[in-house]
């Protein structure tokens, strides 16, 4: 009798082989879910995205820029830093002449699972003047994904607890729930960008959350990223530091308070924590960190930006 035959006659042998195969299979599933990039295609594209071609594609030669401001005939940006709840909060006040200058971009210009890139890298590749991280669509397998008038994913979220932020062709904001409308209907109604993170922070000028609301099991004080609209083609991008000795971070309610103070009529919470990054004029403005021990950007799947 060979040693191999004798091995398989032992009672534990089959269990050992089964456990080994099961472990390998589970390992592959985890790698595919969280690490291995998987490229996917888009579902459908709007026929009404030509307005991106109707505006200037390059910054005017007379554009004026400083460390905290940018101005040309189409785009005006002013960056300020305020101290709120022992936290540095970076406010970008943005006015544009057309909603076509408010855009989104995917990591490596590719839609798919585990396709990520630092906010600064995506922004630089698209000549963004200002950028913040988006909703990190790639962390989920469900939830609508609409970017620049293209539906990349039309599977609704399992949970209807959070609403989505939609940006229409005219630059206006809306709050929708995926259980009430299809992705195609949104596209047909003029939606060009959608963010599925949440929650909505401001609606009709009023804070839309309670003091105890939080994203899942996240800590009460975190680095945060949000976007809001004040009035027609007038926006606010907000990023806060957090998890450091210098900045403890904000709660969702505190973030909403900041946005309300700046006059936002609608505002929405984007991906936060280690993802929270603001990029302006070729530099990262804030201090991104995941654990507070090291200041470093987390790679993300998408950004929202202002640029040509």
């Amino acid at each position: 009798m060979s040693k191999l035959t004798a091995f398989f006659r032992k009672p534990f042998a089959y269990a050992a082989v089964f456990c080994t195969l099961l472990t390998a299979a589970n390992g592959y599933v985890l790698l595919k879910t969280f690490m291995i990039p998987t490229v996917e295609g888009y579902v459908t594209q709007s026929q009404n995205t030509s307005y991106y071609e109707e505006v200037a594609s390059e910054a005017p030669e007379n554009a004026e820029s400083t460390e905290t401001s940018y101005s040309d005939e189409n785009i005006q940006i002013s960056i300020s830093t305020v101290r709120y709840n022992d936290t540095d909060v970076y406010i970008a006040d943005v006015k544009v002449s057309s909603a076509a200058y408010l855009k989104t971009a995917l990591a490596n210009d590719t839609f798919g699972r585990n396709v990520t890139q630092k906010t600064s890298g995506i922004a630089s590749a698209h000549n963004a003047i200002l950028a913040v991280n988006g909703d990190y669509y790639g962390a989920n397998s469900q939830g609508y994904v609409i970017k620049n008038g293209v539906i990349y994913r039309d599977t609704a979220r399992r949970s209807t607890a959070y609403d989505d932020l939609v940006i229409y062709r005219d630059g206006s904001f809306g709050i929708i729930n995926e259980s009430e409308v299809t992705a195609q209907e949104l596209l047909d109604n003029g939606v060009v960008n959608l963010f599925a993170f949440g929650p909505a922070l401001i609606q009709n000028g009023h804070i839309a959350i309670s003091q105890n609301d939080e994203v899942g099991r996240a800590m009460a004080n975190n680095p945060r990223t949000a976007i809001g609209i004040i009035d027609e083609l007038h926006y606010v991008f907000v990023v806060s530091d957090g998890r450091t000795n210098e900045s403890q971070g904000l709660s969702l309610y505190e973030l909403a308070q900041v946005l309300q103070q700046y006059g936002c009529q609608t505002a929405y919470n984007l991906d936060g924590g280690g993802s929270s990054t603001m990029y302006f004029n070729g530099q990262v403005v804030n201090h991104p960190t995941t654990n507070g021990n090291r200041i470093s950007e987390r790679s993300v799947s998408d950004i929202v930006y202002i640029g040509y």
Side-chain angles (χ1 to χ4, degrees):
M1 182 186 301
S2 70
K3 291 182 178 180
L4 183 62
T5 302
F7 173 79
F8 278 107
R9 284 190 173 183
K10 295 179 180 179
F12 65 84
Y14 293 108
V17 172
F18 177 77
C19 288
T20 300
L21 293 174
L22 183 62
T23 300
N26 286 338
Y28 174 75
V29 171
L30 289 173
L31 284 172
K32 185 175 181 180
T33 301
F34 298 108
M35 296 184 66
I36 300 174
T38 303
V39 177
E40 303 173 33
Y42 69 85
V43 179
T44 188
Q45 183 170 357
S46 170
Q47 301 301 311
N48 298 313
T49 56
S50 60
Y51 78 117
Y52 285 111
E53 302 172 359
E54 296 170 1
V55 297
S57 59
E58 295 182 1
E61 294 182 358
N62 60 349
E64 297 181 0
S65 181
T66 70
E67 289 186 357
T68 59
S69 66
Y70 176 92
S71 179
D72 66 35
E73 61 196 47
N74 300 305
I75 299 171
Q76 290 82 46
I77 302 172
S78 176
I79 306 287
S80 60
T81 305
V82 300
R83 193 75 178 165
Y84 196 86
N85 190 41
D86 293 326
T87 299
D88 285 333
V89 183
Y90 308 88
I91 315 290
D93 186 286
V94 179
K95 295 180 179 179
V96 292
S97 63
S98 168
Y101 296 116
L102 173 59
K103 306 178 183 181
T104 53
L106 304 178
N108 299 315
D109 289 328
T110 302
F111 175 74
R113 265 304 189 110
N114 303 316
V115 179
T116 62
Q117 191 178 5
K118 291 180 179 180
T119 293
S120 60
I122 307 173
S124 177
H126 288 268
N127 298 315
I129 301 168
L130 170 73
V132 297
N133 60 286
D135 62 4
Y136 210 148
Y137 77 82
N140 303 294
S141 59
Q142 294 190 333
Y144 296 160
V145 179
I146 302 177
K147 307 294 183 187
N148 297 327
V150 177
I151 298 176
Y152 289 96
R153 187 165 64 208
D154 59 2
T155 306
R157 296 201 215 194
R158 291 189 184 94
S159 172
T160 59
Y162 286 162
D163 294 331
D164 296 353
L165 171 69
V166 292
I167 303 179
Y168 293 93
R169 190 178 186 274
D170 64 359
S172 60
F173 282 13
I175 301 296
I176 64 95
N177 193 287
E178 294 183 12
S179 66
E180 300 172 352
V181 62
T182 68
Q184 186 60 54
E185 288 171 337
L186 291 172
L187 202 68
D188 294 341
N189 290 334
V191 169
V192 291
N193 283 298
L194 176 147
F195 299 97
F197 199 88
L201 301 171
I202 305 287
Q203 290 186 259
N204 299 317
H206 300 288
I207 294 178
I209 56 173
S210 74
Q211 294 189 30
N212 297 320
D213 281 342
E214 194 42 78
V215 179
R217 298 180 180 179
M219 295 181 293
N221 295 311
N222 274 302
R224 303 284 184 180
T225 302
I227 184 173
I229 185 169
I230 297 175
D231 53 34
E232 185 177 2
L233 301 179
H234 186 184
Y235 308 98
V236 172
F237 291 67
V238 174
V239 168
S240 80
D241 283 341
R243 302 177 182 172
T244 68
N245 293 331
E246 292 76 21
S247 295
Q248 69 173 10
L250 300 180
S251 68
L252 280 179
Y253 191 81
E254 289 164 344
L255 179 63
Q257 287 179 313
V258 172
L259 289 152
Q260 188 182 50
Q261 288 177 9
Y262 278 82
C264 287
Q265 297 304 300
T266 303
Y268 192 78
N269 180 57
L270 297 172
D271 187 21
S275 298
S276 288
T277 305
M278 179 178 285
Y279 170 99
F280 179 66
N281 270 345
Q283 302 292 328
V284 173
V285 174
N286 66 312
H287 301 91
T289 183
T290 296
N291 53 24
N293 297 323
R294 186 167 64 100
I295 303 302
S296 177
E297 291 180 72
R298 174 191 291 169
S299 292
V300 296
S301 58
D302 59 296
I303 66 169
V304 54
Y305 74 99
I306 301 294
Y308 287 90

